[in-house]
Amino acid sequence: AQKVTQAQTEISVVEKEDVTLDCVYETRDTTYYLFWYKQPPSGELVFLIRRNSFDEQNEISGRYSWNFQKSTSSFNFTITASQVVDSAVYFCALSETLSSGSARQLTFGSGTQLTVLP
Amino acid sequence: EPEVTQTPSHQVTQMGQEVILRCVPISNHLYFYWYRQILGQKVEFLVSFYNNEISEKSEIFDDQFSVERPDGSNFTLKIRSTKLEDSAMYFCASTRGGITGELFFGEGSRLTVL
């Protein structure tokens, strides 16, 4: 069965520090997708990135970067020069093809609460 | 930009009452989902819906839950007889489908069962 582990429950950093959020996953699928979502205090889920299992290139988007390593089943997320507005819960998720083949579901990790202090 | 909309944003109900949570998915999307997040916990899959029927459901989605797409635009989640442990944030999501389909989430409906 698929599983996503975010071992860091809470992280606190001071503004402008870099911070890395860890994500380790388990799946039997050869084709799968990995996601990161941000959940600010207001509660909505904000999509950050999707990465498929065949693309191990690291990705950078502004202050955000992602490191996908299939060999260690990890998909870590780094925020460079953190800001107070980055404070949120961050969820890593894994998407696999459902048994019906017609839809996919996301399995979420338990989330990492990031607090950026001014 | 198209978005998934959910109503109500917050509902308070008494245990044993029926609740209907409503969602309007993005108009050209084909797959619809409900997820649940108990306060402080992870987001959990409840059910997926495609071509007017349930594709998959989790163990959480027992007989007290049902989903419906009554009019081609709304997608509803009904909880027949609410229990205290149904208190959670319920997220609706939709996607066009296919293996590259990004899941778009609504802002959630918070259900409080007293």
Side-chain angles (χ1 to χ4, degrees):
Chain A
Q2 61 274 25
K3 185 179 178 182
V4 177
T5 301
Q6 294 180 255
Q8 303 149 309
T9 308
E10 295 181 28
I11 300 177
S12 283
V13 297
V14 177
E15 206 170 20
K16 296 183 185 176
E17 286 185 359
D18 298 348
V19 58
T20 296
L21 310 182
D22 298 332
C23 173
V24 174
Y25 63 92
E26 296 175 28
T27 178
R28 292 182 180 177
D29 270 11
T30 54
T31 301
Y32 53 89
Y33 286 78
L34 295 162
F35 300 77
W36 277 94
Y37 285 87
K38 174 181 180 180
Q39 187 175 45
S42 49
E44 72 270 26
L45 288 168
V46 179
F47 168 83
L48 295 178
I49 189 173
R50 175 185 68 243
R51 176 50 52 91
N52 76 56
S53 51
F54 298 107
D55 182 3
E56 289 193 66
Q57 269 195 328
N58 291 333
E59 181 157 340
I60 298 174
S61 175
R63 295 185 297 108
Y64 295 168
S65 62
W66 291 269
N67 182 7
F68 176 31
Q69 293 199 347
K70 219 166 172 178
S71 59
T72 56
S73 297
S74 65
F75 186 45
N76 297 336
F77 172 34
T78 297
I79 302 175
T80 303
S82 60
Q83 300 175 359
V84 173
V85 293
D86 295 329
S87 296
V89 180
Y90 290 86
F91 289 97
C92 180
L94 166 69
S95 172
E96 297 177 314
T97 307
L98 294 169
S99 57
S100 64
S102 62
R104 304 180 72 87
Q105 72 171 83
L106 292 183
T107 298
F108 284 81
S110 53
T112 298
Q113 170 71 62
L114 173 65
T115 301
V116 181
L117 303 168
Chain B
E1 184 175 320
E3 58 181 21
V4 177
T5 57
Q6 290 186 241
T7 54
S9 55
H10 188 195
Q11 182 159 354
V12 181
T13 190
Q14 295 289 328
M15 191 170 58
Q17 295 296 304
E18 176 182 283
V19 160
I20 297 177
L21 305 179
R22 291 183 168 80
C23 170
V24 179
I26 295 173
S27 61
N28 62 350
H29 284 187
L30 302 175
Y31 298 86
F32 315 110
Y33 305 79
W34 283 100
Y35 285 79
R36 180 182 82 175
Q37 184 184 30
I38 294 171
L39 186 63
Q41 298 187 21
K42 68 169 71 175
V43 179
E44 301 173 292
F45 169 76
L46 289 179
V47 65
S48 63
F49 192 85
Y50 170 72
N51 201 25
N52 286 319
E53 60 182 24
I54 290 175
S55 302
E56 296 279 345
K57 57 184 180 180
S58 71
E59 295 173 351
I60 303 169
F61 194 87
D62 61 23
D63 290 345
Q64 71 161 343
F65 290 93
S66 62
V67 289
E68 199 175 39
R69 190 158 158 80
D71 56 12
S73 61
N74 289 287
F75 178 51
T76 62
L77 174 69
K78 182 191 291 186
I79 308 175
R80 188 164 47 85
S81 177
T82 50
K83 298 179 278 197
L84 295 176
E85 53 265 37
D86 293 328
S87 294
M89 180 78 94
Y90 289 82
F91 290 101
C92 175
S94 71
T95 180
R96 288 193 64 181
I99 60 174
T100 60
E102 174 190 332
L103 220 55
F104 290 81
F105 283 89
E107 294 195 345
S109 292
R110 181 167 296 286
L111 175 65
T112 302
V113 182
L114 303 176

